[in-house]
Amino acid sequence: PPACDVAIVGAGAAGLATAIFTLRSNRSRSVVLLEGARRPGAKILVSGGTRCNVTNASVSERDFWGGRSPAIRRILRALPVADTVAFFRAIGIPLHEEADGKLFPDSNRARDVLDALLRETTSLGAVLATGQRVTSIERRADGFRVVTERGKLLARSVVLATGGRSLPKSGSDGAGLDFAIALGHCIVATSPALDPLVLSENDRMHGDLSGVSHEGELAVWIDGAVAIRLTGSVLWTHAGVSGPVSLNASRHWLRARLDGRSAAVTLSFRPGQGLEAADAEWMARARTNPKSGVQNALGSMLPASVAAALLRELGIDAATPLAHLSRENRRQIAKALVEWPLPVVGTRGYNFAEATAGGVALTEINPASMESRVCPGLFVVGEVLDVDGRLGGFNFQWAWSSGFVAGRALAGGIPSSA
């Protein structure tokens, strides 16, 4: 069978980055990318609403969950944001900054990002073999035997860049996790991440508010205590809630459930405000505008449809003047504004998730090289690792940085175990 120095399984963001940075450091390496799909980069093309949120203006280990922070920090610092921006500019993709630090290509076309990466990959001499789904990887004394649906390939080193389980139509169906297990790795149980939350069918709020968006703060309660608070835009949908803050919260709710713990989610329409402060605000409103109806007062703080839905759920007459609002009703409104229970019953699953939580344990990877500590010559990059970032370009930055670290190590010596 044919042979190469480096076989990269998966030609998505992390796989392409690994190929590029390997060959930029050492053009003598023979690199083959094995991609199961006929056309590579499906996840790049659909990301950021087909605009591709390449990275973020500010990235640190605090933007990620999963594996140990010191290892994540070390990998991110190997290829920081400034170097990532310079890299994309050099391959013809200048970036611009939008809300929340998101960096997009100036053309606003994900296709341009993918085409530039593919051009750079092939111009450096990598072989891109599409429609070559890998079925098994076997460790041998002199490297690896990689079996695809079309044949076999011998490689001195193998890179798993297969993605996790999110958006399985793009090709990331979890096969890389199976390869890692077969080669001796432990897998941290996976769950969807960046996934819309599904609310109980008995909840009328989301049905009535479908399509309405507003700022909010979600608190994820685990075993009766707040585990994390997240702020951002909430989008009500026919199935539940989406929007950045809901997507970020989903992994925390799911991980708690995966661990057999109780999990609940509450929504604050007044981020950062506590119950007593909210109650005091309503008392002040009653003093300054006693004749104002409660619907009008609430509508000055929230979208009118949200205000109406809240009052309906609380059973409070929308026309009640603030001066006539009972203490009990006033407290009800204050409580609803800062701690509205969302009856979460699940998420929309891997088909809608933008990332995967869990994966190859980061403790089993050398952060200086991305090489396996349990299987020398095996490198692991990108989403297949137990690292998932919040929404905003962070998961792509993880792909570029981990690919850079692996590429630098692969260029320097094969294998380079430590």
Side-chain angles (χ1 to χ4, degrees):
C4 64
D5 290 325
V6 182
I8 301 173
V9 186
L16 292 170
T18 303
I20 289 168
F21 291 122
T22 299
L23 290 166
R24 278 190 167 194
S25 296
N26 190 336
R27 291 293 289 269
S28 70
R29 293 285 179 239
S30 54
V31 176
V32 177
L33 286 132
L34 299 168
E35 171 58 47
R38 202 160 51 84
R39 294 179 178 171
K43 207 175 273 190
I44 293 174
L45 293 178
V46 301
S47 67
T50 73
R51 295 172 59 222
C52 192
N53 181 187
V54 173
T55 184
N56 198 283
S58 176
V59 179
S60 82
E61 68 277 9
R62 293 183 298 277
D63 298 305
F64 296 83
W65 297 295
R68 291 176 62 251
S69 290
I72 296 172
R73 179 171 62 244
R74 180 171 183 175
I75 293 160
L76 292 171
R77 285 183 177 176
L79 183 77
V81 172
D83 292 359
T84 302
V85 171
F87 163 73
F88 277 98
R89 187 187 304 115
I91 63 172
I93 305 293
L95 306 176
H96 66 271
E97 184 175 341
E98 297 188 12
D100 301 318
K102 295 178 181 178
L103 296 179
F104 288 91
D106 284 355
S107 69
N108 290 311
R109 281 170 44 93
R111 165 60 67 185
D112 293 344
V113 175
L114 176 59
D115 286 350
L117 289 168
L118 291 172
R119 262 196 317 273
E120 183 70 3
T121 301
T122 52
S123 70
L124 287 167
V127 175
L128 176 59
T130 58
Q132 295 264 18
R133 181 177 173 80
V134 173
T135 56
S136 69
I137 303 171
E138 177 190 332
R139 185 79 172 94
R140 295 158 51 108
D142 55 350
F144 299 85
R145 185 176 74 151
V146 183
V147 180
T148 76
E149 291 173 334
R150 294 192 185 180
K152 297 169 185 172
L153 176 71
L154 299 179
R156 294 174 67 193
S157 289
V158 165
V159 181
L160 291 183
T162 54
R165 298 185 188 276
S166 62
L167 301 177
K169 287 181 186 173
S170 70
S172 56
D173 56 3
L177 299 168
D178 295 331
F179 298 145
I181 291 170
L183 293 167
H185 275 280
C186 292
I187 303 297
V188 176
T190 61
S191 60
L194 302 182
D195 198 19
L197 295 170
V198 175
L199 302 183
S200 167
E201 291 181 359
N202 298 325
D203 176 69
R204 290 195 301 170
M205 284 274 285
H206 69 277
D208 292 349
L209 297 177
S210 183
V212 176
S213 178
H214 58 82
E215 289 301 299
E217 178 184 84
L218 291 188
V220 181
W221 300 68
I222 299 176
D223 294 339
V226 175
I228 190 167
R229 294 184 187 274
L230 300 162
T231 58
S233 180
V234 177
L235 172 65
W236 297 87
T237 72
H238 68 282
V241 285
S242 187
V245 70
S246 306
L247 297 180
N248 286 333
S250 63
R251 72 96 62 205
H252 301 286
W253 186 88
L254 283 165
R255 300 309 285 182
R257 294 292 295 266
L258 192 64
D259 293 339
R261 303 166 75 181
S262 70
V265 180
T266 56
L267 165 63
S268 172
F269 298 91
R270 309 287 282 169
Q273 191 175 61
L275 174 60
E276 296 310 318
D279 190 41
E281 182 180 11
W282 277 85
M283 285 193 287
R285 283 173 178 265
R287 284 193 300 271
T288 54
N289 292 296
K291 294 181 180 178
S292 174
V294 66
Q295 167 81 55
N296 290 338
L298 202 54
S300 69
M301 307 160 73
L302 304 170
S305 55
V306 177
L310 272 178
L311 291 174
R312 187 193 64 238
E313 291 296 310
L314 294 172
I316 296 173
D317 185 349
T320 304
L322 291 182
H324 296 163
L325 194 65
S326 69
R327 180 181 184 280
E328 180 189 355
N329 283 351
R330 189 191 74 231
R331 296 284 288 185
Q332 271 186 291
I333 293 170
K335 172 89 167 172
L337 282 171
V338 300
E339 205 173 279
W340 183 259
L342 293 178
V344 178
V345 294
T347 70
R348 299 201 70 188
Y350 286 116
N351 285 336
F352 293 87
E354 294 185 29
T356 305
V360 176
L362 204 54
T363 52
E364 297 180 351
I365 302 297
N366 179 358
S369 63
M370 307 311 297
E371 187 173 14
S372 165
R373 296 186 191 274
V374 300
C375 182
L378 176 70
F379 294 73
V380 189
V381 295
E383 191 185 344
V384 72
L385 287 159
D386 176 30
V387 178
D388 56 296
R390 64 185 180 90
L391 196 73
F394 300 97
N395 289 298
F396 270 133
Q397 183 60 51
W398 176 248
W400 316 134
S401 292
S402 60
F404 175 85
V405 173
R408 185 176 57 184
L410 287 159
I414 302 173
S416 59
S417 54

